Amino acid sequence: MSTQPAGHKAIVEAARQEFSERGYGTTSIRDIAQRAGVSLSALYYYKGKQDLLVAILDDGLDAYFSACDEALEAAGDDPAEQLEALVAATVRFRTDHPVKSSIVLTEGRSLEPEHLARYRKNEARGSRQFREVVERGVTQGIFLTPYPDDARRAVIAMCNAIAEWYRTEGPVSVDQLVERYVALALTVVEYRPRAVRRPARA
C-alpha cells in the first residue's frame, strides 16, 4: 500500500483485534469500522477484509523477522548460541505481541491464492532460519539428535504455542520463560558442548 488513508493505523489495529477475537470469517467490515471509530467510507481505500488481513500479516512477519535477524547478528557463529538467540527472540515476540502472533499463526489459511504463495514463502523463511542452525550444529557434532527436522519442528511449535497461553500476569516472567525454553530447545537437539582438550603429557 502506498498512500495510506487517514486513520490507517487505527483501522489496521481494529481489524487485528477483531480477527483475533472473532476470527477472519465472522468479522465484517462494519465491525472493523465501529471498533476503529471511523465511518464505513473510511474503509473504501481497502478492497475488503482481504487487504486488511494482508497488511496485518505483513506487519507481523516483518516485525518478527526483524527481531530474529537482530538476535542472530548478535549471536556470533556458534550454532548453540544461534539457536538460543532464535528461541529467545521468538519467545519474546510471542509474549510481547500475542495478538500479532495469533493472527500470523492462525489466519494465513484465510488468504486468497494470490496472497497465499507469498505468505507461504515468508513462513518458509522462518522455518529455514531454524533448520540452518540445527543442521549446522549437527554437522559440527554439538547437536546429537538423529532427527534434526523433527527437532526443529518441535522447537518452533513449542515457541509458537506461547502466544496462545502465556499471560503476563501469571507466575512466570518473560525472562524465566526464555531461560526455560532455551534449555528445552537445547535438550531437544541433544546439545553437547565440545569437550575441552587437555594438552598431552610429555
Side-chain angles (χ1 to χ4, degrees):
M1 296 179 188
S2 50
T3 305
Q4 296 174 344
H8 168 77
K9 288 185 177 179
I11 291 169
V12 170
E13 185 56 35
R16 195 193 324 272
Q17 295 291 338
E18 288 291 325
F19 293 162
S20 176
E21 294 172 11
R22 297 168 178 255
Y24 176 82
T26 57
T27 297
S28 69
I29 287 292
R30 185 177 297 276
D31 294 329
I32 295 169
Q34 288 178 344
R35 186 156 196 155
V38 299
S39 65
L40 280 173
S41 61
L43 276 75
Y44 288 162
Y45 170 82
Y46 307 97
K47 294 177 182 177
K49 291 190 301 180
Q50 188 71 192
D51 263 12
L52 285 166
L53 179 59
V54 169
I56 289 167
L57 292 176
D58 283 349
D59 176 60
L61 287 169
D62 287 348
Y64 172 66
F65 287 133
S66 177
C68 287
D69 289 345
E70 185 177 338
L72 279 175
E73 188 175 342
D77 297 329
D78 182 74
E81 292 182 4
Q82 291 175 340
L83 182 59
E84 179 177 351
L86 279 176
V87 169
T90 303
V91 170
R92 290 190 186 282
F93 190 85
R94 299 296 178 233
T95 55
D96 291 345
H97 307 285
V99 176
K100 279 186 181 181
S101 297
S102 178
I103 294 291
V104 168
L105 296 171
T106 62
E107 291 296 354
R109 63 180 182 272
S110 300
L111 287 170
E112 294 171 359
E114 60 184 294
H115 303 300
L116 184 59
R118 183 165 61 87
Y119 173 74
R120 292 303 183 206
K121 186 179 293 186
N122 278 329
E123 265 193 332
R125 175 186 171 188
S127 183
R128 185 171 63 251
Q129 284 183 318
F130 277 90
R131 179 185 296 111
E132 289 174 351
V133 169
V134 172
E135 288 180 351
R136 197 175 301 120
V138 170
T139 299
Q140 293 182 16
I142 60 173
F143 296 165
L144 302 185
T145 175
Y147 314 112
D149 276 344
D150 293 318
R152 168 188 55 82
R153 281 190 287 266
V155 171
I156 293 173
M158 74 179 187
C159 291
N160 286 345
I162 290 171
E164 300 301 320
W165 64 264
Y166 183 76
R167 298 294 179 269
T168 54
E169 65 273 15
V172 181
S173 71
V174 174
D175 287 342
Q176 289 173 322
L177 196 66
V178 167
E179 185 178 351
R180 292 180 186 184
Y181 272 61
V182 165
L184 286 169
L186 293 175
T187 299
V188 169
V189 298
E190 298 186 34
Y191 170 54
R192 299 292 186 274
R194 293 186 183 88
V196 177
R197 293 183 179 178
R198 298 180 180 180
R201 294 182 180 180

